[in-house]
Every structure is written in structure tokens, then in C-alpha cells.
Amino acid sequence: MKTLLSVRNLKKSYGDIKALKGISFDVYEKEVLCFLGPNGAGKSTTINILSSILTKDEGEITYEGQSFEKNLSTYKASLGIVPQDLAIYEEISALNNVKFYASLYGLKGEALEAAALNALDNVGLLSVKHRKPKTFSGGMKRRLNIACGVAHQPKVIIFDEPTVGIDPQSRHYILNYIKALKDQGVTVIYTSHYMEEVEDISTRILIIDHGEILTEGTKEDLKKMLGDTDKFTIDIEANGSVNTQPFYRIDGVKGVEVSDNRLMFDVVRGVDCLDKIIAEMIDQHIKLSNLNKEKATLERVFLHLTGHALRG
Ligand SMILES: Nc1ncnc2c1ncn2[C@@H]1O[C@H](COP(=O)(O)OP(=O)(O)OP(=O)(O)O)[C@@H](O)[C@H]1O
Ligand SMILES: [Mg+2]
């Protein structure tokens, strides 16, 4: 794996607020690297420094082994930025918006037109290319914002929360487009606080909170932090006479707890023992009213790492 970007000990404060407390990470070629973190974690601050919109206080950034500041023009030419705040012009057509941004990267004439049309097609806006964004839905504006950032076909694309508050159709277009970019070998840096989409598109995840990177790895790596068991919760009608001992004899059952008309089982992931648990409940005349399996999710990983939920 080739390292494209390397960030070391990056710090940024806004007055007294320490937004980044010295983070370090690498970005490898052709990966979809997702920053997962709640509001205020420091995602946009990191992205804006990488986009050279914001200056860092301390730390080192290299792009292809060269100092980021010294090679800013080369770096910027290979970069596409899709900012969290919309950067589109409401009063000019969608096509002209995209052409304007792509022209900043030196595209001209027919090549410019073709690149803009291609970008609009990729986000599902080709049929409305002559319309002005002021007539667009929020999701369509988000998609246009993406087309503007990517039309010049950069090698690295940075997306800052491109799917916040949008309709399912637009979300679908955006996530599919990111998967297509991954297939084309484009390097993607993506921030989100939606764990489902991070699970869906990432090849690697950095979990960030309060200006610090708490951990990094593939979704499989991160879920391993939760141990090798799944949790089942079974609501029951009465708990007066539950004998937990027989449950421990079932292959795969690691733990049983009884509380408030509820049985909680810790079972080895991948071992199918639910049938036997239910058979034992029937033997003991325990009536089941509800069953819930807690899956190993990134939400649980986040909770495990921080003690608080990803969503406020
Ligand atoms: N221009 C600014 N002036 C003062 N404080 C700021 C500024 N920008 C960000 N902050 C603060 O820095 C911290 C990190 O903010 P940042 O925008 O990087 O978080 P984020 O992870 O992008 O959050 P969100 O999910 O809400 O976009 C927060 O405490 C935020 O309030
Ligand atoms: Mg942000």
C-alpha cells in the first residue's frame, strides 16, 4: 500500500477550544478512509486543514513524501474537495456551476463541457443540468456540491459529511457514487457521523472524538474490540423460578443474567444456540414475550471506547 498523505501530531485551536490535540494518521492510495465521530469531534477541522482552507497550528503533513506546504500547487491539483457547507451558486445553472469549479483546475472548451456533464451524470443530475440550484431540493444541492468538487477527476477526493439531512434517493446516489470511485481506484477521505454508511463504504475507519483519534482499523478490526460474543436479551413473563445453571451447559453460552423479567445471554459469535436456549426455557415453563439480539455495530464500538453514544 502506497502512502499518499501522512499527517503527524496535527494541532489546531480556536481560542481556548482545542479542536485537534495532536492527531496522526496516514492515507493510503485507493482506500476509502472514513472519519467517524460525533458533532464537534474535529472532523471538519481536519478536513479543512487537509484542503488547505485552514492553517494548522502545529504538526507535519506530507503528500507523496513531500512537504504539503512546499508542494501546495501539485497537491491541490490532485485534490477534490466537497465541503460540509454548500459551495454552489444558486442563480446560475447546475451545468455552469460545475463548469466554473472545473475551470479553476485548468479545464477548457470541449474537455470542460464533457467533464462537467460526466460529473452531473454521476450524481444523477444530468436531466436537470440547465436548472438553477435555487429550484433544487436539499439533496439535489448536495449532489451538485459533489459534482462541483469532482469534475476535474482528482486523484484524492475529500467529502465532509455529504449526506447530512438529505432524502434517501440522494443518499443512495451519493453512496453508490463513492463505491464507483472506489472501484475506479480514486482515494476517498470521507467524514460522517452515520455509522451505517461508514460500515457500507469504508475500507478503513478512524474514530475521532474531542480532537483525538481513539482507534483505527477496518470495520472487522473495530468490532473485534467488542470481544467474541453477541448479546441476546429475552423478555419473559415472570422470573421467579429461573434456574440459570442448565443454560450454562448449552454449547456457546458464556453467560446468563436474570433481571426485571429479562434474561440476558452472552453467546459465542457464530455458534447457533438459540434453539437450545428456547428449548430450555420451555422445559422450565418460562414464557418468552420478546427477543432481541444486540449486533456488533460501530455504535457499540464507539460506546465501548468513549462511554457515550455516537448520536447525541
Ligand atoms: N471557526 C470556529 N471557531 C471556534 N470554534 C470552532 C470553529 N470551528 C470549529 N470550532 C470548534 O472546534 C471543535 C471541532 O469542530 P469541527 O467543526 O472540526 O467538528 P466536526 O467533527 O466537523 O463536527 P460536525 O459533525 O458538527 O460537523 C468544536 O468544539 C467546534 O465547536
Ligand atoms: Mg463538520
Side-chain angles (χ1 to χ4, degrees), residues 16-29:
D16 292 339
I17 301 169
K18 289 190 171 137
L20 297 177
K21 298 173 183 166
I23 61 169
S24 299
F25 60 91
D26 291 322
V27 182
Y28 305 117
E29 196 172 45

PDB file of all heavy atoms in Angstrom, residues 16-29:
ATOM      1  N   ASP A  16      -9.639  29.228  23.005  1.00  0.00           N
ATOM      2  CA  ASP A  16      -9.407  28.238  24.072  1.00  0.00           C
ATOM      3  C   ASP A  16      -9.823  26.827  23.668  1.00  0.00           C
ATOM      4  O   ASP A  16      -9.539  25.864  24.380  1.00  0.00           O
ATOM      5  CB  ASP A  16     -10.229  28.607  25.325  1.00  0.00           C
ATOM      6  CG  ASP A  16      -9.715  29.883  25.956  1.00  0.00           C
ATOM      7  OD1 ASP A  16      -8.554  30.237  25.694  1.00  0.00           O
ATOM      8  OD2 ASP A  16     -10.489  30.533  26.700  1.00  0.00           O
ATOM      9  N   ILE A  17     -10.544  26.724  22.565  1.00  0.00           N
ATOM     10  CA  ILE A  17     -11.058  25.389  22.173  1.00  0.00           C
ATOM     11  C   ILE A  17      -9.977  24.616  21.423  1.00  0.00           C
ATOM     12  O   ILE A  17      -9.540  25.029  20.345  1.00  0.00           O
ATOM     13  CB  ILE A  17     -12.309  25.508  21.271  1.00  0.00           C
ATOM     14  CG1 ILE A  17     -13.404  26.271  22.013  1.00  0.00           C
ATOM     15  CG2 ILE A  17     -12.814  24.136  20.822  1.00  0.00           C
ATOM     16  CD1 ILE A  17     -14.567  26.683  21.134  1.00  0.00           C
ATOM     17  N   LYS A  18      -9.571  23.485  22.035  1.00  0.00           N
ATOM     18  CA  LYS A  18      -8.574  22.637  21.364  1.00  0.00           C
ATOM     19  C   LYS A  18      -9.314  21.686  20.439  1.00  0.00           C
ATOM     20  O   LYS A  18      -9.776  20.622  20.867  1.00  0.00           O
ATOM     21  CB  LYS A  18      -7.768  21.861  22.401  1.00  0.00           C
ATOM     22  CG  LYS A  18      -6.822  22.772  23.164  1.00  0.00           C
ATOM     23  CD  LYS A  18      -5.871  21.960  24.013  1.00  0.00           C
ATOM     24  CE  LYS A  18      -4.802  22.864  24.572  1.00  0.00           C
ATOM     25  NZ  LYS A  18      -4.476  22.658  25.956  1.00  0.00           N
ATOM     26  N   ALA A  19      -9.438  22.064  19.177  1.00  0.00           N
ATOM     27  CA  ALA A  19     -10.225  21.258  18.237  1.00  0.00           C
ATOM     28  C   ALA A  19      -9.469  19.999  17.827  1.00  0.00           C
ATOM     29  O   ALA A  19     -10.066  18.944  17.644  1.00  0.00           O
ATOM     30  CB  ALA A  19     -10.589  22.081  17.013  1.00  0.00           C
ATOM     31  N   LEU A  20      -8.149  20.087  17.658  1.00  0.00           N
ATOM     32  CA  LEU A  20      -7.306  18.917  17.356  1.00  0.00           C
ATOM     33  C   LEU A  20      -6.134  18.905  18.322  1.00  0.00           C
ATOM     34  O   LEU A  20      -5.393  19.880  18.425  1.00  0.00           O
ATOM     35  CB  LEU A  20      -6.792  18.961  15.907  1.00  0.00           C
ATOM     36  CG  LEU A  20      -7.834  18.910  14.790  1.00  0.00           C
ATOM     37  CD1 LEU A  20      -7.164  19.032  13.421  1.00  0.00           C
ATOM     38  CD2 LEU A  20      -8.661  17.626  14.855  1.00  0.00           C
ATOM     39  N   LYS A  21      -5.973  17.785  19.007  1.00  0.00           N
ATOM     40  CA  LYS A  21      -4.991  17.743  20.100  1.00  0.00           C
ATOM     41  C   LYS A  21      -3.723  16.985  19.743  1.00  0.00           C
ATOM     42  O   LYS A  21      -3.111  16.358  20.605  1.00  0.00           O
ATOM     43  CB  LYS A  21      -5.655  17.107  21.326  1.00  0.00           C
ATOM     44  CG  LYS A  21      -6.843  17.899  21.835  1.00  0.00           C
ATOM     45  CD  LYS A  21      -7.572  17.153  22.935  1.00  0.00           C
ATOM     46  CE  LYS A  21      -8.807  17.913  23.382  1.00  0.00           C
ATOM     47  NZ  LYS A  21      -9.698  17.063  24.189  1.00  0.00           N
ATOM     48  N   GLY A  22      -3.375  16.972  18.446  1.00  0.00           N
ATOM     49  CA  GLY A  22      -2.152  16.271  18.046  1.00  0.00           C
ATOM     50  C   GLY A  22      -2.456  14.931  17.420  1.00  0.00           C
ATOM     51  O   GLY A  22      -1.986  13.896  17.908  1.00  0.00           O
ATOM     52  N   ILE A  23      -3.238  14.952  16.334  1.00  0.00           N
ATOM     53  CA  ILE A  23      -3.610  13.673  15.706  1.00  0.00           C
ATOM     54  C   ILE A  23      -2.599  13.273  14.628  1.00  0.00           C
ATOM     55  O   ILE A  23      -1.976  14.117  13.992  1.00  0.00           O
ATOM     56  CB  ILE A  23      -5.043  13.695  15.118  1.00  0.00           C
ATOM     57  CG1 ILE A  23      -5.207  14.753  14.016  1.00  0.00           C
ATOM     58  CG2 ILE A  23      -6.086  13.921  16.204  1.00  0.00           C
ATOM     59  CD1 ILE A  23      -6.501  14.614  13.242  1.00  0.00           C
ATOM     60  N   SER A  24      -2.450  11.963  14.459  1.00  0.00           N
ATOM     61  CA  SER A  24      -1.548  11.401  13.444  1.00  0.00           C
ATOM     62  C   SER A  24      -2.273  10.294  12.690  1.00  0.00           C
ATOM     63  O   SER A  24      -2.971   9.487  13.308  1.00  0.00           O
ATOM     64  CB  SER A  24      -0.312  10.787  14.104  1.00  0.00           C
ATOM     65  OG  SER A  24       0.399  11.769  14.816  1.00  0.00           O
ATOM     66  N   PHE A  25      -2.145  10.300  11.388  1.00  0.00           N
ATOM     67  CA  PHE A  25      -2.705   9.206  10.581  1.00  0.00           C
ATOM     68  C   PHE A  25      -2.104   9.253   9.183  1.00  0.00           C
ATOM     69  O   PHE A  25      -1.503  10.253   8.789  1.00  0.00           O
ATOM     70  CB  PHE A  25      -4.249   9.295  10.489  1.00  0.00           C
ATOM     71  CG  PHE A  25      -4.756  10.577   9.870  1.00  0.00           C
ATOM     72  CD1 PHE A  25      -4.989  10.658   8.499  1.00  0.00           C
ATOM     73  CD2 PHE A  25      -4.984  11.699  10.649  1.00  0.00           C
ATOM     74  CE1 PHE A  25      -5.447  11.847   7.917  1.00  0.00           C
ATOM     75  CE2 PHE A  25      -5.441  12.892  10.080  1.00  0.00           C
ATOM     76  CZ  PHE A  25      -5.672  12.966   8.719  1.00  0.00           C
ATOM     77  N   ASP A  26      -2.251   8.138   8.457  1.00  0.00           N
ATOM     78  CA  ASP A  26      -1.821   8.073   7.061  1.00  0.00           C
ATOM     79  C   ASP A  26      -3.035   7.837   6.184  1.00  0.00           C
ATOM     80  O   ASP A  26      -4.031   7.269   6.630  1.00  0.00           O
ATOM     81  CB  ASP A  26      -0.844   6.907   6.852  1.00  0.00           C
ATOM     82  CG  ASP A  26       0.487   7.163   7.536  1.00  0.00           C
ATOM     83  OD1 ASP A  26       0.946   8.322   7.533  1.00  0.00           O
ATOM     84  OD2 ASP A  26       1.057   6.201   8.087  1.00  0.00           O
ATOM     85  N   VAL A  27      -2.929   8.272   4.946  1.00  0.00           N
ATOM     86  CA  VAL A  27      -3.965   7.964   3.952  1.00  0.00           C
ATOM     87  C   VAL A  27      -3.285   7.172   2.844  1.00  0.00           C
ATOM     88  O   VAL A  27      -2.304   7.636   2.260  1.00  0.00           O
ATOM     89  CB  VAL A  27      -4.588   9.253   3.368  1.00  0.00           C
ATOM     90  CG1 VAL A  27      -5.692   8.900   2.375  1.00  0.00           C
ATOM     91  CG2 VAL A  27      -5.134  10.160   4.471  1.00  0.00           C
ATOM     92  N   TYR A  28      -3.785   5.964   2.589  1.00  0.00           N
ATOM     93  CA  TYR A  28      -3.185   5.107   1.563  1.00  0.00           C
ATOM     94  C   TYR A  28      -3.909   5.268   0.232  1.00  0.00           C
ATOM     95  O   TYR A  28      -5.117   5.538   0.196  1.00  0.00           O
ATOM     96  CB  TYR A  28      -3.238   3.636   2.010  1.00  0.00           C
ATOM     97  CG  TYR A  28      -2.599   3.391   3.349  1.00  0.00           C
ATOM     98  CD1 TYR A  28      -3.354   2.920   4.414  1.00  0.00           C
ATOM     99  CD2 TYR A  28      -1.256   3.682   3.555  1.00  0.00           C
ATOM    100  CE1 TYR A  28      -2.781   2.705   5.660  1.00  0.00           C
ATOM    101  CE2 TYR A  28      -0.673   3.481   4.799  1.00  0.00           C
ATOM    102  CZ  TYR A  28      -1.437   2.992   5.845  1.00  0.00           C
ATOM    103  OH  TYR A  28      -0.874   2.803   7.071  1.00  0.00           O
ATOM    104  N   GLU A  29      -3.143   5.051  -0.827  1.00  0.00           N
ATOM    105  CA  GLU A  29      -3.706   5.166  -2.165  1.00  0.00           C
ATOM    106  C   GLU A  29      -4.865   4.175  -2.345  1.00  0.00           C
ATOM    107  O   GLU A  29      -4.764   3.032  -1.905  1.00  0.00           O
ATOM    108  CB  GLU A  29      -2.605   4.862  -3.180  1.00  0.00           C
ATOM    109  CG  GLU A  29      -2.953   5.301  -4.566  1.00  0.00           C
ATOM    110  CD  GLU A  29      -1.762   5.147  -5.499  1.00  0.00           C
ATOM    111  OE1 GLU A  29      -1.085   4.099  -5.452  1.00  0.00           O
ATOM    112  OE2 GLU A  29      -1.505   6.070  -6.272  1.00  0.00           O
TER     113      GLU A  29
END
